[in-house]
Amino acid sequence: MKTTSNIIEQRRKKIAELKNKDVNLFPNDFAVSHTVKNIRDTIEDLQDSITEDNPVFVAAGRMMAVNRFGKASFIRFRDRTGQFQAYVRKDNVGDEAYALFKQLDIGDFVGLKGGLFKTKTGEWTLLVNELKLVCKSMRPFPEKFHGLKDPEKRYRKRYLDLIMNSDVRDTFIKRSKIIQAIRTFFLVRDFMEVETPMMQPVPGGAEAEPFITHHNSLGLDLFLRIAPELYLKRLVIGGFERVFEINRNFRNEGISTRHNPEFTMLEFYQAYADYKDLMNLTEDMFSYVTREVAGSDSIVYQGSTIDMGGRWRRMTLFEALEEIGGIDADLLKNRERLLDFASSRGIVITKKASEKIGGTGKIITKLFDVMVEPKLIQPTFITGYPVEVSPLSRRSDSDPAITDRFELFIAGHEIANGFSELNDPDEQKVRFLQQATERDAGDKEAHCMDEDYIEALEYGMPPTAGEGIGIDRLAMLFADAASIREVILFPHMKPAGNIAEEASSLLN
RNA sequence: GGGCCGUUAACUCAGUUGGUAGAGUAUCUGCCUUUUAAGCAGAGAAUCGCGCGUUCGAGCCGCGCACGGCCCA
């Protein structure tokens, strides 16, 4: 315990007085029969026929503001459906209840019963006949006008952020709606929602460094999943031809405005489809979600209007590099010139990518990240990814150097990644071995060999296409949020001092 | 990992050249039965993120650390 503030002491004292008067500060028997929305809907429906006696409402909520006038007061209270004003008069609620009411604070929960009237200024207001304390708050709330702004406090005490900042509330309501819309979209298309392991003996399905955990009784190290991909494809092999999962992935990498170590991913797989089908499906899905969530075909993100309806531009990686990145086509075929070009632009190519013998895939995708990606504001599918950066994708029939794969970019962010699945077990094995070589060379993000997955493929996976979509980044788009922390309820933070100490002593 | 910025009352923020800390809101007391950032009168409230240093003297200058934000890797 660090600070005991004067303001909290005062409140504690008041609480002690209430207890002495046998006031139950935390009752659990107040029966709520109306929400604020019910009240507003009734006003909408009945209008002029409303009197102070009829109809009568019983509502409850947190007191957000109080204007006291001696023997009468206005309060504003809030429930999950909205905020409403109530008027508490001593001669209406009685001396005893009004005396109790005078002891209450902003932040307390109250139960209210009464009819409706219109104030001088024309605002419909609950005329309280009965008032009960439903829950006492022991701490002072942030100031009503400026609210809670300090980002560190907002993230650490998200509950206060949600109470004080309505735009934050709206963001998370929106996020929930996005996920529900996606779920509906898939369910009506005969996809089945599944859950696959979060703890995996071999981490796979993506190129990333995993978190390691340990199972005591099995004496076994396990990895928090970096992707569900290989398990979802096992389900396709098992006969679930259309599956999707919306769940958390964990990647042991830095934290930034676009990265949280745990993040939410949608992955879905459809048998007898290819990557082109999925591009069409993605357009349909985004168009549907946008209409459901934003109520139109477009959204505004960081000042740009983004058209989410209709069909989107499709171009290959090389086309994008030439046309948008302004890179000469001949350059793209020459490894040394590519490296020179990158260094002349101050683009750092990692050692493992530049030293690697053979393909130029990693150099090219890096150039793309820097020179093209930020410019892809309107939704754009990029296709033609090199085989070496796509270890799980099916090789293109027309060009053996590339795969049947796309990525989707919106507002300069990678939003989705999809491809026709590699279902030839022997080739998959060769690809894994290639990755293993890179792993041995020090690339911690290279894909792991997964023998069990190869065996599964050997039983036969029908032609299938699959896709992953970052839900957090999607939520950022709809919420017009510049940072991923604004769309994750409890983003990861370093523990604040004493919490870290307490946690370590807990383990010892 | 690097650069820049921030951390002062419950909240939002000021704080001059280095001279023992200010406002608004919130809180407390009194008045007030149609307010809505209510009003009037009064009062209380600060380990200036933490540590070390410089100095007669540090919120302010220096060094280190912690946490956070933005940008870069």
Side-chain angles (χ1 to χ4, degrees):
Chain A
M1 288 295 278
K2 198 181 137 201
T3 51
T4 41
S5 107
N6 170 64
I7 205 161
I8 292 174
E9 276 170 28
Q10 280 177 339
R11 205 172 265 206
R12 289 268 174 189
K13 212 172 131 191
K14 197 152 68 175
I15 286 162
E17 286 166 19
L18 287 170
K19 276 184 180 163
N20 281 339
K21 288 183 203 159
D22 275 337
V23 176
N24 187 352
L25 303 180
F26 304 101
N28 195 12
D29 60 352
F30 189 82
V32 180
S33 41
H34 302 89
T35 62
V36 166
K37 185 168 189 302
N38 292 151
I39 298 173
R40 291 200 188 284
D41 288 348
T42 305
I43 292 167
E44 190 77 18
D45 292 346
L46 300 182
Q47 287 286 354
D48 298 334
S49 65
I50 293 173
T51 70
E52 290 184 3
D53 305 316
N54 185 48
V56 170
F57 299 93
V58 183
R62 193 192 284 275
M63 281 209 298
M64 299 305 299
V66 189
N67 290 349
R68 297 185 198 275
F69 295 86
K71 297 183 184 66
S73 304
F74 285 96
I75 65 174
R76 256 151 284 148
F77 68 102
R78 185 198 291 156
D79 68 11
R80 67 184 182 282
T81 67
Q83 191 162 298
F84 203 73
Q85 178 167 265
Y87 187 52
V88 184
R89 282 166 50 156
K90 191 175 185 179
D91 51 13
N92 263 31
V93 297
D95 290 359
E96 199 179 323
Y98 200 79
L100 167 70
F101 168 72
K102 280 169 89 172
Q103 296 281 90
L104 299 186
D105 297 293
I106 288 172
D108 291 350
F109 287 86
V110 288
L112 305 167
K113 182 178 180 185
L116 289 170
F117 77 108
K118 238 182 189 174
T119 64
K120 273 182 185 172
T121 54
E123 180 171 350
W124 282 106
T125 299
L126 193 72
L127 183 61
V128 177
N129 290 319
E130 288 178 41
L131 177 140
K132 280 194 78 175
L133 173 64
V134 171
C135 172
K136 191 78 192 83
S137 163
M138 301 209 171
R139 284 179 181 268
F141 280 75
E143 184 219 334
K144 60 190 165 191
F145 190 58
H146 294 95
L148 184 68
K149 285 195 169 148
D150 180 349
E152 183 172 353
K153 282 176 189 144
R154 286 183 47 231
Y155 300 148
R156 288 195 197 279
K157 302 183 195 293
R158 183 68 94 181
Y159 48 92
L160 281 183
D161 193 24
L162 289 167
I163 292 167
M164 299 309 299
N165 298 318
S166 61
D167 55 330
V168 174
R169 270 197 309 280
D170 292 343
T171 291
F172 288 105
I173 291 168
K174 212 172 238 184
R175 183 184 167 115
S176 179
K177 281 185 180 168
I178 291 167
I179 292 171
Q180 289 313 317
I182 289 171
R183 193 164 267 136
T184 303
F185 179 87
F186 280 109
L187 292 175
V188 301
R189 281 165 182 75
D190 202 24
F191 280 76
M192 175 173 136
E193 184 167 13
V194 295
E195 293 163 278
T196 62
M198 308 292 263
M199 296 192 291
Q200 305 178 346
V202 180
E207 299 184 24
E209 209 178 326
F211 286 93
I212 304 173
T213 186
H214 186 77
H215 191 296
N216 287 342
S217 62
L218 294 183
L220 178 70
D221 278 344
L222 291 165
F223 301 90
L224 299 188
R225 76 179 193 192
I226 53 176
E229 172 156 356
L230 301 186
Y231 284 91
L232 290 170
K233 285 193 277 199
R234 283 175 174 97
L235 294 180
V236 177
I237 294 167
F240 291 145
E241 293 175 346
R242 297 182 178 199
V243 291
F244 74 102
E245 177 167 11
I246 301 171
N247 222 323
R248 219 66 62 82
N249 289 348
F250 307 85
R251 296 186 183 174
N252 206 340
E253 51 199 29
I255 295 177
S256 77
T257 48
R258 276 192 272 178
H259 298 89
N260 196 59
E262 57 179 300
F263 60 98
T264 302
M265 189 88 161
L266 158 71
E267 283 204 17
F268 57 96
Y269 291 81
Q270 181 178 351
Y272 310 109
D274 67 11
Y275 76 110
K276 289 178 182 166
D277 296 321
L278 291 197
M279 286 194 276
N280 294 335
L281 185 79
T282 304
E283 286 164 342
D284 292 345
M285 176 181 15
F286 277 56
S287 160
Y288 172 74
V289 171
T290 307
R291 261 182 266 120
E292 288 294 306
V293 174
S296 75
D297 287 330
S298 67
I299 56 167
V300 175
Y301 183 72
Q302 307 290 294
S304 302
T305 300
I306 294 167
D307 185 5
M308 300 282 248
R311 300 292 138 187
W312 300 335
R313 186 163 193 202
R314 300 176 184 194
M315 59 200 310
T316 67
L317 189 62
F318 277 47
E319 284 166 359
L321 281 162
E322 285 179 52
E323 191 182 322
I324 297 165
I327 298 174
D328 189 64
D330 294 335
L331 199 67
L332 295 170
K333 293 166 192 154
N334 186 306
R335 173 181 184 75
E336 294 311 316
R337 286 183 60 197
L338 265 181
L339 284 172
D340 288 345
F341 177 80
S343 69
S344 76
R345 296 297 175 100
I347 297 166
V348 180
I349 308 290
T350 56
K351 241 185 177 178
K352 61 201 179 204
S354 62
E355 284 175 356
K356 221 183 80 188
I357 307 190
T360 51
K362 287 206 172 170
I363 305 170
I364 282 174
T365 48
K366 176 71 190 179
L367 283 177
F368 177 87
D369 288 351
V370 176
M371 303 192 65
V372 181
E373 187 173 322
K375 294 181 183 168
L376 297 176
I377 303 302
Q378 294 302 320
T380 308
F381 290 111
I382 301 295
T383 60
Y385 281 85
V387 171
E388 59 188 286
V389 295
S390 316
L392 303 166
S393 308
R394 184 178 188 280
R395 199 182 286 272
S396 163
D397 288 333
S398 56
D399 179 352
I402 62 169
T403 52
D404 287 339
R405 175 183 169 192
F406 66 87
E407 289 198 357
L408 168 65
F409 296 86
I410 303 176
H413 293 177
E414 180 195 334
I415 300 292
N417 176 25
F419 42 86
S420 301
E421 302 299 335
L422 173 55
N423 62 347
D424 174 344
D426 291 342
E427 183 173 353
Q428 183 65 76
K429 186 160 191 174
V430 171
R431 302 264 197 105
F432 276 160
L433 287 171
Q434 175 59 41
Q435 291 286 313
T437 311
E438 289 175 27
R439 213 177 167 73
D440 292 343
D443 185 352
K444 285 183 180 172
E445 296 189 348
H447 207 287
C448 290
M449 167 63 75
D450 188 336
E451 298 280 2
D452 185 76
Y453 175 66
I454 303 282
E455 183 180 330
L457 282 183
E458 285 171 353
Y459 285 96
M461 179 168 77
T464 299
E467 180 173 342
I469 296 179
I471 295 296
D472 309 280
R473 296 207 180 154
L474 198 58
M476 285 171 72
L477 288 177
F478 282 94
D480 194 13
S483 167
I484 197 169
R485 293 180 203 99
E486 295 298 334
V487 300
I488 292 175
L489 280 166
F490 299 99
H492 275 282
M493 310 275 282
K494 286 198 185 180
N498 51 358
I499 295 175
E501 286 160 27
E502 283 165 24
S504 72
S505 72
L506 201 73
L507 289 171
N508 301 328

